[in-house]
Amino acid sequence: FYTFNNYEAWIGSMWPLAIGGFIIALVTIFKKSWAPITAPLYAIVEGLFLGVISMFFENMFNGIVFQAIYLTFGIFFTLLLLYKSKIIKPTENFKLGVAAATGGIFILYMVSLFMSMFGGGVMPIMDITNSSMISIGFSVFVVIIASLNLVLDFDFIEEAAERGVPKYMEWRATLGLLVTLVWLYLEILRLLAKLQSRR
């Protein structure tokens, strides 16, 4: 809420915060034992980033932020219920499929980022003002994949608890869940922005 209410002062820090959060998450992948430090640090950095980018979207489309928050938590609790009731089971094929789709989306994001850095602009399907059905369909697909990553997080947490893994892995699991929730929230914002651009 701090950066949300102080948007003008923080707008210049939006991308450094986003990159910082990405680096912290990346470091934790390779240094899991650092998770007790990197997980809270990630939460702080991403919290600041989300405040800025949320106001960015709110300035474009009034009311979009609260819609995205409600949808994010609605999806989270729905999938948690489906997971706990065993309606959704993370089989090995399920995990492979979600991981492959997530990797493909990540590659597209990186390509789009490099294009924008070198003057090529973002890919049309990434543009939040592109309200074509293809662009909206892509965003729906990404929201689905981000949502399914929550199931992988739930499974990781449950397996870690059953195996009695080291304490730092609890922080690693927390970080993983935070990363997925941040991604899901941002993708819902993008989807809602594209839908509202059609009006």
Side-chain angles (χ1 to χ4, degrees), residues 1-17:
F1 285 108
Y2 174 73
T3 48
F4 186 84
N5 292 322
N6 295 276
Y7 173 74
E8 297 296 335
W10 283 86
I11 182 61
S13 303
M14 184 167 69
W15 288 116
L17 288 169

Side-chain angles (χ1 to χ4, degrees), residues 37-93:
I37 297 169
T38 55
L41 189 59
Y42 176 85
I44 293 169
V45 172
E46 283 301 305
L48 294 171
F49 166 69
L50 289 179
V52 180
I53 200 166
S54 293
M55 181 53 83
F56 173 80
F57 275 90
E58 188 69 17
N59 285 336
M60 293 177 67
F61 307 102
N62 186 44
I64 194 174
V65 168
F66 287 106
Q67 293 175 34
I69 291 171
Y70 295 145
L71 284 170
T72 301
F73 283 102
I75 290 170
F76 173 81
F77 287 114
T78 299
L79 284 174
L80 180 59
L81 179 64
L82 291 174
Y83 175 79
K84 295 302 289 185
S85 59
K86 305 297 182 184
I87 293 173
I88 292 182
K89 298 179 181 178
T91 62
E92 287 306 311
N93 286 337

Side-chain angles (χ1 to χ4, degrees), residues 104-117:
I105 292 167
F106 178 75
I107 291 170
L108 274 178
Y109 282 168
M110 290 298 102
V111 170
S112 182
L113 177 64
F114 282 117
M115 284 175 59
S116 64
M117 286 173 63

Side-chain angles (χ1 to χ4, degrees), residues 150-184:
L150 286 171
V151 178
L152 301 189
D153 291 326
F154 298 151
D155 185 60
F156 179 82
I157 291 168
E158 189 171 62
E159 284 190 3
E162 289 174 355
R163 292 178 183 175
V165 295
K167 193 75 175 175
Y168 67 81
M169 288 301 290
E170 294 179 10
W171 288 99
R172 165 64 182 82
T174 301
L175 179 64
L177 190 57
L178 273 176
V179 169
T180 304
L181 283 171
V182 168
W183 180 32
L184 177 59

